């Protein structure tokens, strides 16, 4: 077979074009459903706009209202920060510890069993998990209140999700004890990939137990930690579906986050321009945090390169 | 055969068994009793395929509360309609019309069902967009299906309007542009369901006034029951309106600024949003309005006797399991309670008692008003004029559309008493709103309640959805001790300031025109105590 130019249209050019042709459908769909809406959102954020109504250009008025006038904005950012912080702490620690325990099991059969055990809950839809916590754990006569009553602390029973003092913490504790199967698997993969020579060297140097965990294991799974960190932060900023199910952002605005406020403004209050402005602000925050993360939080490979 | 081989065979067999079981579980139920009227294939003679989203109360094929036979009343009437109009087929579909995101996208693209069932107040926000068809033209004309019977005195022979039993509530559903966008198909009313056995055991009786109500709730709580099952949405909607009415009814002669002759006969003294916005500017409903403050003080007293968790609680479950002694609920659960063979207790219904001067010095000493009203409210969407160019104004589309005529014919056909009876009286849930159709006996207590005077205003529907949402959140906070009454009043004041400003801008309200009447009523206000305004 020859790759030389035959006629005016060579093989390489045809190959390139055919690749683009095959990608075209995906690129068009990506543009229509991802990039165009992003640009559209930027544009709409400058308008007072509702579906079916007349759009009125108001410049940066929506941003001004959201950042400086809306009483919900800053408390909602605080809620988001707290929930994200707790989620980051939970997802960076508990699954890693569990993965480490699984790794240290002597037999493959045992390791397989526990991997499977922690993975199975992944198939339960998130909505079902939220409903279980709302309807069974935090309910009027749910697990928490009944347990308190059983141990003689009935006075402590309350509507955990409707009490302004406990609602945010209650939301943050959904999923306790935070052994998330996805994270466990990711960390397990990272820990399994630590070269045997490294583990043996550590053993020879007398670096075992907790010391080894912090000095060897954690640095060696830094790539995984970085990935989970980015995903958790993005999820923390964007996600609000659990809050809709559990509290709808209440009581008051005690569990409202900016994403939820954006949703309400768009679909309940029909303030699409304002909702777009909130969305743009969230985009800027996520983008900024991701850049910071990529720049200052080194992965395993980068750490090795630095050495 | 070895054990290992047996296990292997079982493994291989497990998957097909699971698949077959899943297939069986998902297979649609068969039998003559199930009538769903979902999408079907049609022949070339079918010119109109109308889509109706009747909601769960009448949806063919639905078993109410999972009890008894699937509903078929609406399907039977629709089939009779199709027999009258062979070029028309009607599909009953389930769509999440209560989700605004769904409705907005469907309406903006002209894809919504022709007829939907949502609270008409929820559609008022969008009426200027041409998404909903005003029905006044048809309501003011005779119902052709009544006319054809030949009795000129029958309700509906002169105006379709005349067919409706509860005129006050039906006509009171007119939008602020004075046009009607819904047909109030039936009525729903609330009441306090109470456990008679628990009442007897604790030694309490149905209360005669508000103080007595609080008193019996104290005794029920001391006996270990949740006295009153409530959710925050009920405080936001019903409790606000009822307590507000009790405290303001006495001062209405001094503040009711607009008497619309077409509505006053039904909605005596009703405060519309322009009046509320005007009164707010005069200091009413602000932290310095003692009555408005009192509304929420009394509400907090009531909340002390409700369940701890005001969100996400299954009130009906708490009631039937006898954890709660009383349940504030609409009449649609009658069927559920009656059908429960293992209920194990006797229950009754009473209405909330009136406030007296013992509770508040602002109490008007008037019986509690009605806060229920229309249940199934059918609106006609822009899909019904989908056979005309979308570029035309809605009025022109309405004149040209033949599809719309067929949609209206369907609504008129459903309202004919013998048709309507098959729908509304299929089970005990809703009170008929068509003359000539008798309510089922179990609903009589609620029919009596419906004879009362209608509320002074409906706060959750006065302004936009943001106002209602924020008010509910603030109440949730306040009623759960997350804010003091002072803090609540300040936050609610901000909410009202935003809502009134928005209403004036969006609806181009002319509040100046109310000044004359305001001055005229000054002598009456001078005789009233603790009004927040300076005349």
């Amino acid at each position: 077979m020859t790759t030389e130019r035959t006629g005016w249209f060579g093989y390489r050019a045809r190959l390139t074009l055919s690749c683009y042709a095959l990608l075209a459908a995906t690129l068009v769909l990506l543009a229509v459903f991802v990039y165009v809406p992003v640009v559209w959102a930027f544009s709409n954020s400058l308008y007072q706009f509702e579906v079916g109504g007349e759009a009125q250009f108001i410049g940066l008025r929506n941003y001004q209202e959201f950042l400086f006038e809306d009483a919900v904005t800053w408390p909602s950012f605080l809620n988001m920060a707290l929930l994200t912080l707790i989620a980051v702490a939970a997802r960076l620690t508990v699954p890693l510890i569990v993965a480490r325990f699984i790794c240290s099991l002597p037999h493959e059969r045992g390791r397989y069993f526990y991997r499977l055990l922690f993975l199975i809950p992944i198939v339960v839809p998130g909505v079902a998990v939220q409903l279980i916590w709302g309807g069974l754990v935090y309910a009027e006569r749910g697990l928490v209140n009944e347990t308190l009553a059983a141990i003689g602390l009935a006075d402590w029973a309350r509507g955990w999700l409707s009490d302004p003092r406990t609602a945010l913490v209650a939301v943050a504790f959904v999923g306790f004890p935070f052994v998330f199967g996805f994270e466990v698997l990711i960390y397990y993969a990272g820990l399994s990939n630590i070269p045997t020579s490294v583990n043996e060297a550590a053993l020879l140097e007398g670096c075992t137990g907790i010391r080894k965990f912090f000095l060897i294991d954690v640095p060696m799974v830094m790539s995984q930690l970085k990935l989970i960190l980015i995903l958790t932060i993005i999820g923390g900023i964007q996600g609000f579906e659990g809050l809709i199910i559990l509290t709808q952002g209440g009581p008051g605005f005690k569990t409202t986050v900016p994403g939820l406020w954006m949703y309400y403004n768009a679909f309940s209050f029909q303030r699409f321009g304002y909702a777009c402005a909130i969305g743009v602000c969230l985009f800027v925050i996520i983008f900024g945090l991701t850049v910071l993360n990529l720049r200052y939080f080194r992965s395993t490979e980068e750490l090795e390169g630095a050495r | 055969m070895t054990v290992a081989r047996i296990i292997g065979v079982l493994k291989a067999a497990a998957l097909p068994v699971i698949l077959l079981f899943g297939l069986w579980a998902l297979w649609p139920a068969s039998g003559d009793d199930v009538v769903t009227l979902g999408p079907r294939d049609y022949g070339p003679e079918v010119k109109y395929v109308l889509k109706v989203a009747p909601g769960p109360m009448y949806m063919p094929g639905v078993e109410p509360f999972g009890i008894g036979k699937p509903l078929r009343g609406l399907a039977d009437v629709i089939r009779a309609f199709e027999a009258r109009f062979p070029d028309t087929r009607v599909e009953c579909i389930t769509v999440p019309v209560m989700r605004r995101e769904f409705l907005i996208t469907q309406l903006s693209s002209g894809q919504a069902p022709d007829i939907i069932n949502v609270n008409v107040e929820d559609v008022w926000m969008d009426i200027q967009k041409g998404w909903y068809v005003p029905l006044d033209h048809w309501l003011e004309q005779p119902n052709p299906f009544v006319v054809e019977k030949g009795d000129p005195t029958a309700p509906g022979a002169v105006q379709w309007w005349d067919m409706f039993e509860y005129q006050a509530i039906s006509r009171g559903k007119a939008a602020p542009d004075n046009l009607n966008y819904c047909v109030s198909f039936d009525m729903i009313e609330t009441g306090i369901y109470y456990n008679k056995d628990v009442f007897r055991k604790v030694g309490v009786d149905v209360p005669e006034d508000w103080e007595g109500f609080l008193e019996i709730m104290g005794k029920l709580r001391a006996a270990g029951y949740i006295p009153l099952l409530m959710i925050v949405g009920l405080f936001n909607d019903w409790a606000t309106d009822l307590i507000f009415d009790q405290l303001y009814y006495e001062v209405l002669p001094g503040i009711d600024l607009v008497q619309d002759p077409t509505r006053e006969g039904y909605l005596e003294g009703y405060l519309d949003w322009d009046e509320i916005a005007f009164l707010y500017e005069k200091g009413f409903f602000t932290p310095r309005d003692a009555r408005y403050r009192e509304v929420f003080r009394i509400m907090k007293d009531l909340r002390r006797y409700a369940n701890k968790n005001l969100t996400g609680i299954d009130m009906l479950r708490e009631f039937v399991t006898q954890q709660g002694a009383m349940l504030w609920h609409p009449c649609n659960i009658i069927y559920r309670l009656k059908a429960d063979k293992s209920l194990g207790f006797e229950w009754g219904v009473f209405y909330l008692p009136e406030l007296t001067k013992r509770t508040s010095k602002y109490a008007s000493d008037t019986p509690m008003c009605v806060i229920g009203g229309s249940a199934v409210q059918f609106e006609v969407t822009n899909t019904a004029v989908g056979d005309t160019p979308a570029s035309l104004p809605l009025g022109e589309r309405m004149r040209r559309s033949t599809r719309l005529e067929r949609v209206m014919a369907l609504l008129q056909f459903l309202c004919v008493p013998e048709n309507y009876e098959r729908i509304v009286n299929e089970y005990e849930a809703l009170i008929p709103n068509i003359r000539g159709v008798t309510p089922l006996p179990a609903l009589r207590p609620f029919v009596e309640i419906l004879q009362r005077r209608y509320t002074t205003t409906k706060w959750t529907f006065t302004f936009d959805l943001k106002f209602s949402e924020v008010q509910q959140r603030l109440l949730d906070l306040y009623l759960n001790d997350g804010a003091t009454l002072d803090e609540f009043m300040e936050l609610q004041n901000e909410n009202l300031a935003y809502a009134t400003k928005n209403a004036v801008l969006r609806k181009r309200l002319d509040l100046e025109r109310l000044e004359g009447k305001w001055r005229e009523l000054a002598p009456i206000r001078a005789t009233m105590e603790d009004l927040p305004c300076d005349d």
Side-chain angles (χ1 to χ4, degrees):
Chain A
M1 184 190 285
T2 175
T3 57
E4 292 301 310
R5 191 183 181 87
T6 55
W8 66 276
F9 217 48
Y11 168 77
R12 194 175 294 279
R14 278 184 299 170
L15 184 68
T16 309
L17 275 178
S18 61
C19 288
Y20 278 115
L22 288 169
L23 281 173
T26 308
L27 288 174
V28 168
L29 289 173
L30 200 66
V32 169
F33 290 108
V34 178
Y35 294 112
V36 170
V38 169
V39 176
W40 190 72
F42 272 103
S43 158
N44 274 341
S45 69
L46 305 175
Y47 286 82
Q48 186 174 321
F49 163 67
E50 58 181 76
V51 174
E54 288 173 12
Q56 186 191 350
F57 183 77
I58 54 168
L60 296 174
R61 184 72 189 83
N62 283 327
Y63 292 94
Q64 187 189 352
E65 184 183 339
F66 178 60
L67 295 173
F68 304 111
E69 294 166 15
D70 194 332
V72 178
T73 303
W74 294 110
S76 71
F77 270 116
L78 187 63
N79 293 339
M80 181 188 79
L82 285 170
L83 289 173
T84 307
L85 207 64
I86 293 171
V88 165
R91 286 173 193 268
L92 291 189
T93 55
V94 181
L96 180 59
I97 294 167
V98 170
R100 187 67 194 82
F101 282 145
I102 296 174
C103 256
S104 60
L105 290 172
H107 302 295
E108 175 53 29
R109 179 164 290 197
R111 290 198 290 273
Y112 177 79
F113 173 76
Y114 280 105
R115 281 205 313 270
L116 191 67
L117 192 71
F118 289 118
L119 198 63
I120 284 174
I122 285 184
V123 302
V124 180
V127 172
V129 173
Q130 305 288 347
L131 289 172
I132 288 168
W133 277 79
L136 295 177
V137 182
Y138 291 140
E140 185 90 2
R141 291 174 194 275
L143 182 67
V144 179
N145 282 347
E146 289 300 300
T147 305
L148 287 171
I151 58 175
L153 295 173
D155 288 347
W156 290 21
R158 63 191 66 226
W160 295 93
L161 292 170
S162 63
D163 189 325
R165 290 160 298 185
T166 59
L168 192 65
V169 178
V171 167
F173 262 76
V174 168
F176 183 82
F178 309 125
V179 190
F180 304 109
F182 175 74
E183 280 79 358
V184 169
L185 265 197
I186 296 280
Y187 292 135
Y188 179 82
L191 290 167
S192 303
N193 277 339
I194 297 175
T196 318
S197 57
V198 174
N199 284 327
E200 286 171 354
L203 194 62
L204 283 172
E205 294 290 339
C207 181
T208 55
I210 292 176
R211 259 187 90 210
K212 177 177 177 289
F213 178 71
F214 283 110
L215 295 177
I216 307 292
D217 295 343
V218 171
M220 294 301 282
V221 293
M222 205 51 89
S223 300
Q224 285 76 15
L225 285 168
K226 192 172 171 175
L227 172 73
I228 299 295
L229 180 66
I230 292 175
L231 290 179
T232 308
I233 289 174
I234 292 175
I237 295 172
Q238 287 185 336
F240 56 84
E241 55 283 351
L243 290 165
I244 283 191
I245 294 162
L246 288 173
T247 62
Q248 293 87 48
F253 295 96
K254 291 288 181 186
T255 58
T256 298
V257 295
L260 185 59
W261 195 229
M262 174 181 73
Y263 171 83
Y264 274 115
N265 272 284
F267 295 112
S268 291
F269 313 152
Q270 289 212 54
R271 301 187 68 204
F272 278 88
Y274 189 65
C276 285
I278 299 176
V280 169
C281 291
L282 293 181
F283 167 77
V284 170
I285 292 169
I286 292 174
F287 188 75
L289 287 174
T290 307
V291 168
L292 281 177
N293 192 340
L294 291 172
R295 194 173 172 83
Y296 294 109
F297 194 10
R298 293 182 170 188
S299 66
T300 312
E301 293 76 17
E302 287 161 341
L303 282 173
E304 281 172 358
R307 283 186 204 114
Chain B
M1 192 180 273
T2 63
V3 174
R5 189 163 172 75
I6 292 172
I7 290 173
V9 170
L10 284 176
K11 273 183 182 174
L15 191 60
V17 169
I18 290 169
L19 285 174
L20 284 172
F21 181 74
L23 197 64
W24 171 78
L26 293 172
W27 202 259
S30 59
D32 293 339
D33 285 345
V34 182
V35 186
T36 58
L37 280 192
R40 291 160 280 168
D41 292 326
Y42 307 106
E45 76 283 1
V46 174
K47 192 175 167 192
Y48 304 104
V49 178
L50 311 182
K51 289 186 168 27
V52 181
M57 304 295 286
Y58 296 136
M59 187 70 192
V62 164
E63 292 171 14
F65 299 99
I67 306 166
K69 288 184 177 177
L71 297 178
R72 58 176 302 150
L74 180 61
D76 289 344
V77 176
I78 283 174
R79 282 191 173 151
F81 180 79
E82 289 174 343
R84 285 282 301 266
F85 299 94
D87 64 349
T88 303
R89 291 291 178 271
V90 182
E91 292 177 358
C92 287
I93 54 173
T94 301
V95 287
V97 289
M98 298 307 283
R99 303 298 313 179
R100 286 194 66 75
E101 54 269 48
F102 171 83
L103 207 49
I104 288 168
T105 51
Q106 298 295 296
L107 287 162
S108 60
S109 59
Q111 297 294 315
D114 298 86
I115 297 172
I116 58 171
N117 162 29
V118 292
N119 276 341
V120 74
E121 291 86 352
D122 283 349
V123 314
W124 287 352
M125 274 187 82
D126 299 321
I127 51 180
Q128 72 279 11
K129 297 174 184 170
W131 287 351
Y132 299 98
V133 175
L135 309 177
D136 301 71
H137 167 73
W138 289 272
L139 286 163
E140 288 161 8
Q141 301 294 318
N143 182 326
F145 301 101
V146 174
V147 173
E148 70 184 15
K149 290 183 189 170
D151 179 3
T153 62
V158 179
Q159 282 199 336
W160 184 11
W161 260 133
D162 300 331
M163 297 184 78
F164 299 102
E165 177 74 33
Y166 297 94
Q167 288 280 317
I169 300 169
S170 305
R171 292 185 186 244
K173 289 289 174 185
D177 64 359
N178 277 327
L179 297 175
N180 281 279
Y181 292 89
C182 79
V183 176
S184 295
F185 223 59
D186 42 39
M187 294 290 140
I188 192 162
E189 188 43 64
T190 74
I192 304 284
Y193 294 78
Y194 69 105
N195 185 322
K196 286 186 176 177
D197 293 359
V198 168
F199 267 45
R200 271 192 289 269
K201 196 168 142 192
V202 178
V204 295
D205 208 345
V206 171
E208 294 192 348
D209 59 23
W210 193 263
E211 283 298 314
F213 190 37
L214 299 183
E215 202 177 302
I216 66 160
M217 287 198 287
K219 288 180 181 172
L220 289 164
R221 188 168 61 184
Y225 296 99
I226 300 170
L228 181 63
L229 292 159
M230 289 280 280
I231 53 172
V232 69
L234 304 190
F235 280 106
N236 185 37
D237 189 345
W238 306 342
T240 302
D241 292 342
L242 282 185
I243 301 172
F244 180 85
D245 178 86
Q246 287 285 300
L247 303 189
Y248 280 82
Y249 183 71
E250 205 170 50
V251 296
L252 270 183
I255 61 172
D256 182 21
L257 303 168
V258 180
Q259 280 90 35
D260 180 346
T262 60
R263 293 169 72 203
E264 200 62 22
Y266 315 110
L267 300 174
E268 179 205 347
Y270 193 84
L271 297 178
D272 276 310
W273 44 34
D274 51 349
E275 292 167 286
I276 298 270
F278 181 87
L279 291 169
Y280 176 72
E281 283 188 357
K282 295 292 182 189
F284 284 85
F285 324 128
T286 63
R288 65 191 167 99
D289 183 350
R291 282 179 181 77
Y292 197 57
R293 194 183 165 83
E294 189 77 338
V295 169
F296 299 103
R297 182 193 68 76
I298 293 168
M299 199 182 293
K300 187 70 171 273
D301 277 348
L302 179 64
R303 189 267 175 272
R304 294 184 212 289
Y305 299 103
N307 31 286
K308 292 188 185 77
N309 199 344
L310 289 181
T311 49
I313 185 171
D314 186 339
M315 296 194 298
L316 187 53
R317 184 180 65 187
E318 299 290 315
F319 184 66
V320 298
T321 55
Q322 304 199 53
Q323 311 288 342
M326 289 185 282
L327 167 70
W328 192 0
H329 206 281
C331 54
N332 61 327
I333 57 167
I334 291 272
Y335 174 73
R336 155 75 180 82
L337 293 176
K338 278 187 70 187
D340 193 340
K341 301 281 183 258
S342 57
L343 196 59
F345 65 88
E346 198 185 345
W347 54 274
V349 176
F350 67 88
Y351 200 55
L352 285 98
E354 67 190 64
L355 270 72
T356 66
K357 301 284 186 206
R358 279 201 298 154
T359 305
S360 170
K361 68 172 181 171
Y362 303 119
S364 302
D365 284 324
T366 180
M368 280 282 182
C369 61
V370 170
I371 38 98
S374 305
V376 173
Q377 299 162 51
F378 282 137
E379 290 87 9
V380 176
T381 70
N382 53 355
T383 308
V385 290
D387 57 342
T388 58
S391 55
L392 292 173
L394 180 64
E396 185 58 30
R397 296 183 79 187
M398 286 164 59
R399 270 188 292 279
R400 292 191 191 184
S401 175
T402 54
R403 181 185 178 90
L404 177 60
E405 287 301 326
R406 196 52 53 86
V407 169
M408 296 312 302
L410 173 62
L411 281 177
Q412 289 168 326
F413 189 76
L414 296 178
C415 285
V416 175
E418 54 269 31
N419 294 336
Y420 176 68
E421 174 140 37
R422 296 164 76 180
I423 303 168
V424 73
N425 281 348
E426 198 170 6
Y427 67 111
E428 297 107 333
L430 300 172
I431 301 163
N433 187 31
I434 296 292
R435 287 186 175 147
V437 179
T438 313
L440 293 170
L443 292 164
R444 277 190 195 132
F446 294 94
V447 175
E448 282 170 24
I449 293 169
L450 261 180
Q451 308 308 317
R452 293 171 179 236
R453 178 177 56 83
Y454 196 60
T455 184
T456 308
T457 194
K458 290 286 289 179
W459 273 97
T460 53
F461 298 135
T462 297
F463 296 112
D464 52 28
L465 293 171
K466 182 176 182 186
F467 169 79
S468 310
E469 178 73 35
V470 172
Q471 178 177 276
Q472 177 157 318
R473 286 165 181 279
L474 296 180
L475 274 176
D476 199 5
L477 199 61
Y478 163 64
L479 296 174
N480 287 300
D481 299 327
T484 63
L485 181 54
D486 287 333
E487 288 167 340
F488 170 79
M489 292 301 292
E490 284 303 326
L491 293 167
Q492 175 71 345
N493 192 34
E494 284 175 27
N495 191 25
L496 261 168
Y498 180 90
T500 51
K501 188 177 148 199
N502 201 30
V504 170
L505 283 174
R506 275 177 64 102
K507 301 177 193 308
R508 298 186 180 89
L509 301 181
D510 178 17
L511 300 186
E512 284 295 312
R513 73 189 173 90
L514 302 178
E515 275 293 345
K517 184 73 178 179
W518 172 255
R519 280 194 295 273
E520 192 185 307
L521 297 177
I524 300 175
R525 285 195 301 277
T527 64
M528 294 170 174
E529 212 183 331
D530 291 344
L531 294 184
C533 52
D534 302 315
D535 280 314

